[in-house]
Amino acid sequence: MRSLPLLALLLFTVVVSTPTPPSSQSPPATSTLIEELVANGGRRRFNRRNYSALYLTDGTGGDIETREGMNFWVVPRQDWGPQQDWTIVQMNDHEVAIRSNRGNYIGHGRSDYSQQAEFPDEWELLTPEKNADGSWSFKSRWDKWLSGRTQQDPERYYYVRALRYYVNFQPLNDAAGEHWWLESLPKQPTNPLMNELLADGGRRRFKAYNEWYLTDDGFKYLNDESTKLDPKCERWKLEPW
């Protein structure tokens, strides 16, 4: 029979050697949340209305002056038209991407600024969370939240007008800048061919008649003498991935 001191030592060893459980993380978005976001084609306006009615706005290619790293803004509704129209795209079972009317995606960039991306990658994948007040928040894979709370200094940047905030990512999910109220937009009509091509995010491999695949090798060469090619060289089989 073991002695009591030895038994106590063993129990003490078990207790102190037990690892501390990891801190709890936000649960992944459920399929129900994703379905709610992408309903009606996922077309939304993002209203940061807690203190004033300000809208997420694509500032490139429009009337809003921009500077490097600051292409997405939060400004009053006014008459910005499609610059304030967005589409929420389902990327997988738990994450979405936010696409502008011009087709660019909002990403988590350097120094936590927002960045534009032509195609969504891990920097553009966001986990949605529905807040208790009915608003929505979006967290990047770097555990920071899409935010519209930071205002540019009008005295430093002469083109900045009142009530203009730039979009970045913040460590806290707070009603002051990270809660977004989503307003539905009419669903854009599509034809069956477009629906088929864009199903599952439109991710495809292009296989040629000779079983070879279209590949981006970095040189970006394309043959523009299509009239001299066999027609079968311009036909592709699309494989989902």
Side-chain angles (χ1 to χ4, degrees):
M1 181 174 179
R2 298 179 183 224
S3 65
L4 289 178
L6 177 58
L7 181 59
L9 177 61
L10 290 174
L11 289 175
F12 177 76
T13 302
V14 171
V15 171
V16 299
S17 62
T18 302
T20 302
S23 58
S24 60
Q25 304 237 342
S26 298
T30 63
S31 58
T32 304
L33 288 179
I34 298 291
E35 290 169 1
E36 184 177 348
L37 285 173
V38 301
N40 198 36
R43 301 189 68 236
R44 303 285 187 271
R45 288 194 183 101
F46 287 67
N47 183 351
R48 201 216 73 183
R49 71 183 191 189
N50 293 75
Y51 297 107
S52 55
L54 302 174
Y55 287 81
L56 180 64
T57 305
D58 179 5
T60 302
D63 297 330
I64 303 178
E65 302 90 339
T66 63
R67 59 189 292 264
E68 184 179 359
M70 298 181 187
N71 304 122
F72 298 118
W73 297 85
V74 179
V75 298
R77 178 76 184 97
Q78 297 180 7
D79 189 22
W80 300 111
Q83 289 177 254
Q84 293 180 333
D85 296 350
W86 303 85
T87 300
I88 299 174
V89 182
Q90 180 175 357
M91 302 306 300
N92 54 48
D93 291 341
H94 306 298
E95 293 172 308
V96 299
I98 301 174
R99 186 178 66 214
S100 74
N101 184 68
R102 295 184 305 114
N104 287 340
Y105 294 83
I106 297 178
H108 188 161
R110 293 178 298 176
S111 301
D112 295 328
Y113 286 113
S114 61
Q115 67 177 9
Q116 296 186 68
E118 186 175 356
F119 301 101
D121 203 344
E122 60 179 349
W123 298 95
E124 288 69 50
L125 299 186
L126 304 170
T127 299
E129 181 175 304
K130 194 165 189 178
N131 302 304
D133 58 5
S135 64
W136 292 82
S137 297
F138 298 86
K139 184 174 67 173
S140 76
R141 288 192 173 183
W142 282 259
D143 289 329
K144 293 189 177 182
W145 302 86
L146 181 68
S147 176
R149 70 162 70 217
T150 307
Q151 188 173 24
Q152 275 295 311
D153 182 2
E155 295 183 0
R156 182 177 180 185
Y157 301 106
Y158 66 90
Y159 54 78
V160 175
R161 305 169 202 156
L163 290 179
R164 175 177 298 185
Y165 300 78
Y166 63 83
V167 178
N168 58 12
F169 286 81
Q170 295 288 338
L172 298 178
N173 179 20
D174 188 82
E178 293 73 50
H179 287 197
W180 302 91
W181 297 85
L182 302 184
E183 301 176 0
S184 295
L185 295 168
K187 184 177 181 179
Q188 290 180 323
T190 58
N191 59 49
L193 284 179
M194 290 296 291
N195 289 336
E196 183 178 353
L197 285 172
L198 298 177
D200 302 320
R203 299 167 70 88
R204 300 290 185 269
R205 292 190 181 93
F206 287 67
K207 184 166 73 173
Y209 73 98
N210 57 2
E211 303 296 319
W212 287 35
Y213 287 86
L214 180 64
T215 304
D216 180 4
D217 60 5
F219 293 103
K220 298 182 174 63
Y221 289 137
L222 292 175
N223 193 327
D224 59 358
E225 299 181 18
S226 57
T227 56
K228 298 180 181 180
L229 296 177
D230 188 319
K232 67 183 179 183
C233 297
E234 300 173 356
R235 298 171 183 169
W236 304 89
K237 179 181 178 181
L238 303 187
E239 299 179 351
W241 66 284

